[in-house]
Amino acid sequence: MRRYLRVLFVCTLLVFCSVLYIFNQLVSSLESANHQARAQRTRAAEPGLSERAQDDRSRSEPVGLAVVACGSRLEETLTMLKSAVLFSRRDLHFHIFAEDDLHSGFRQALESWPQRFRSRFNYSVYPITFPSDNAREWKRLFKPCASQRLFLPLILKQVDSVLYVDTDILFLRPVEDIWSFLSAFNRSHVAAMAPEHEEPRIGWYNRFARHPYYGKTGVNSGVMLMNMTRIRAKLFKNDMTAVNLKWADLLMPLLHKYKLNITWGDQDLLNIIFHHNPESLFVFPCQWNYRPDHCIYGSNCVAAEQHGIYILHGNRGVYHDDKQPAFRAVYDVIQQFPFEEDPVRGLLVPLEEKLESTEHTYCGRIRHVFTKRLRQTVTELQRETDKTRHELEV
């Protein structure tokens, strides 16, 4: 009998110890989760600035949009800016870097826009400027003037953040929506870009690059959100010296080392930089930088299929030829849309009609991705247009 009692006592003791251990583990897990949540909230805020104060500041300041235009890119750039003004509700500030002979064209066009839209933005036009010792080399790197974006933190010294975009970008939802990713940055993030490819089997960097690149397939710099205050302050790791370098001291040595191995110019240099500093890059999904590569061989941007395209990137000149008519349809409709016209009848309906004739292409077969988010954006725009007309009538 005593033997059974001893066995029962030992079993009871083991069960008690097990329950106590499980309880302690559960408490530790909850404490760890709470600590991580607090840490994430702390990282999201700038030092010395509360989250609420940071949000208030970001809502009160204009959204900074930067673009570089050279050669024949005037009309394409104006169409991009038009898409930004049409759909955004926040005040905007355009930082336009352009060759001297384009300056008057930008000013005349922007000043001619209807006051209701003109009142939503300010703009600054700058000359193209590169370091004097290597200006010609930088200007001819890849496309004319494209490498100007690398020097924005050094030129716009008083500007905290900008959204840089190529001239062949079209916004299909408000600019401030991508701007809000700044508040998702942790302490180490200095910039944000989208992957170059979603499907490694058709990726360029992982198959052909002769230099380091970010992640599995590299990143595309056509849409680049930049916290320039952080870029200017950061010391970047690199493969040229054991000493970490400031942005201003990094670019020229990087070009000299890799100029015979890069194909896509400044984008390749950015891939090299963030290969060595991956913790500094925030990566946003493919629908924020949707390019022909996402559909010409079959759809490979799942997020766009689910939610629609947010930002369209018509690289490879597809807005101006017949290779990808779905992309050209979006560009033509926005470019031709009269500011004061009803946005559903003047923009959405014509686009849907044009897209019906693109079904012979892979991109055209998934034409719903081009209008899914745009339909919501246009509905919001029409609501505002109707409200304004009603106020004027009253």
Side-chain angles (χ1 to χ4, degrees):
M1 184 68 179
R2 290 180 178 178
R3 182 181 301 172
Y4 291 123
L5 290 174
R6 283 198 295 270
V7 171
L8 179 62
F9 174 77
V10 170
C11 291
T12 303
L13 183 62
L14 289 173
V15 170
F16 175 77
C17 291
S18 298
V19 171
L20 183 62
Y21 174 78
I22 292 172
F23 177 77
N24 286 333
Q25 290 294 105
L26 179 60
V27 171
S28 297
S29 298
L30 291 173
E31 289 179 347
S32 176
N34 289 334
H35 174 75
Q36 290 178 5
R38 288 194 299 270
Q40 289 175 352
R41 288 194 295 269
T42 302
R43 285 195 300 268
E46 292 289 346
L49 187 65
S50 69
E51 288 184 44
R52 182 172 181 178
Q54 196 174 19
D55 289 342
D56 290 344
R57 184 184 68 176
S58 64
R59 280 194 292 266
S60 63
E61 294 178 350
V63 173
L65 185 62
V67 65
V68 179
C70 288
S72 60
R73 299 284 182 163
L74 175 62
E75 192 61 45
E76 185 175 85
T77 307
L78 288 170
T79 304
M80 179 276 292
L81 297 175
K82 181 179 181 180
S83 72
V85 173
L86 277 176
F87 304 136
S88 294
R89 298 297 172 266
R90 285 272 301 275
D91 289 339
L92 306 173
H93 190 114
F94 299 148
H95 299 278
I96 303 169
F97 290 80
E99 291 177 311
D100 293 346
D101 59 347
L102 298 180
H103 288 197
S104 61
F106 276 113
R107 292 192 177 97
Q108 290 173 11
L110 295 175
E111 293 296 342
S112 71
W113 287 0
Q115 181 58 29
R116 183 164 68 89
F117 295 92
R118 176 65 186 87
S119 63
R120 295 179 183 175
F121 67 91
N122 291 316
Y123 67 92
S124 303
V125 182
Y126 310 87
I128 300 294
T129 54
F130 293 107
S132 56
D133 294 343
N134 302 85
R136 181 175 298 181
E137 191 173 9
W138 282 113
K139 187 171 183 178
R140 293 181 177 179
L141 184 65
F142 190 45
K143 294 180 180 179
C145 307
S147 57
Q148 180 77 88
R149 87 186 81 184
L150 297 175
F151 299 94
L152 296 184
L154 309 180
I155 299 171
L156 302 176
K157 294 180 181 180
Q158 305 305 315
V159 178
D160 178 69
S161 300
V162 298
L163 173 65
Y164 167 86
V165 295
D166 286 346
T167 61
D168 51 10
I169 290 296
L170 292 172
F171 294 95
L172 304 186
R173 68 178 296 173
V175 181
E176 57 266 27
D177 292 345
I178 189 170
W179 186 259
S180 67
F181 278 121
L182 286 170
S183 64
F185 281 17
N186 64 28
R187 286 182 179 272
S188 64
H189 291 145
V190 304
M193 289 182 276
E196 173 70 10
H197 286 284
E198 299 297 306
E199 174 50 67
R201 288 176 296 178
I202 62 173
W204 193 92
Y205 283 108
N206 55 291
R207 293 189 296 159
F208 305 118
R210 296 179 294 163
H211 58 78
Y213 56 89
Y214 178 89
K216 294 182 178 180
T217 60
V219 286
N220 184 278
S221 60
V223 179
M224 183 177 179
L225 188 60
M226 308 166 71
N227 184 318
M228 299 197 296
T229 299
R230 292 185 178 184
I231 290 175
R232 287 186 288 263
K234 182 177 174 58
L235 292 171
F236 290 87
K237 298 186 289 291
N238 61 88
D239 58 359
M240 298 171 293
T241 172
V243 178
N244 294 350
L245 298 175
K246 286 287 191 73
W247 190 263
D249 303 320
L250 176 67
L251 298 177
M252 190 60 66
L254 201 64
L255 176 63
H256 285 163
K257 178 172 182 176
Y258 286 106
K259 65 182 178 181
L260 298 180
N261 294 324
I262 60 178
T263 301
W264 309 113
D266 53 305
Q267 177 173 290
D268 290 347
L269 296 181
L270 289 168
N271 267 279
I272 296 168
I273 291 171
F274 288 109
H275 168 85
H276 295 292
N277 301 271
E279 75 286 348
S280 297
L281 186 67
F282 181 98
V283 179
F284 46 70
C286 51
Q287 75 266 38
W288 294 97
N289 186 353
Y290 191 91
R291 294 168 289 115
D293 302 77
H294 290 118
C295 57
I296 56 176
Y297 306 114
S299 181
N300 59 64
C301 178
V302 176
E305 292 187 40
Q306 294 174 340
H307 307 291
I309 298 169
Y310 296 167
I311 296 178
L312 192 69
H313 186 177
N315 63 335
R316 304 183 183 181
V318 295
Y319 292 153
H320 311 293
D321 59 32
D322 296 322
K323 293 180 181 178
Q324 295 301 327
F327 281 76
R328 181 166 184 171
V330 180
Y331 177 84
D332 288 346
V333 166
I334 293 178
Q335 193 270 327
Q336 297 166 12
F337 173 68
F339 274 103
E340 300 291 2
E341 190 170 332
D342 179 279
V344 172
R345 291 197 300 268
L347 200 157
L348 186 60
V349 172
L351 177 57
E352 290 176 335
E353 292 174 353
K354 284 178 176 288
L355 288 173
E356 288 180 0
S357 64
T358 68
E359 285 192 348
H360 61 286
T361 66
Y362 279 117
C363 295
R365 291 173 191 171
I366 54 167
R367 63 182 185 273
H368 67 279
V369 304
F370 293 87
T371 57
K372 189 168 187 176
R373 170 62 209 193
L374 183 61
R375 181 176 291 104
Q376 180 180 342
T377 303
V378 166
T379 300
E380 295 168 357
L381 177 61
Q382 185 182 36
R383 191 179 299 122
E384 179 180 310
T385 301
D386 293 342
K387 180 181 177 181
T388 302
R389 287 175 178 170
H390 177 71
E391 290 174 351
L392 290 174
E393 290 173 356
V394 172

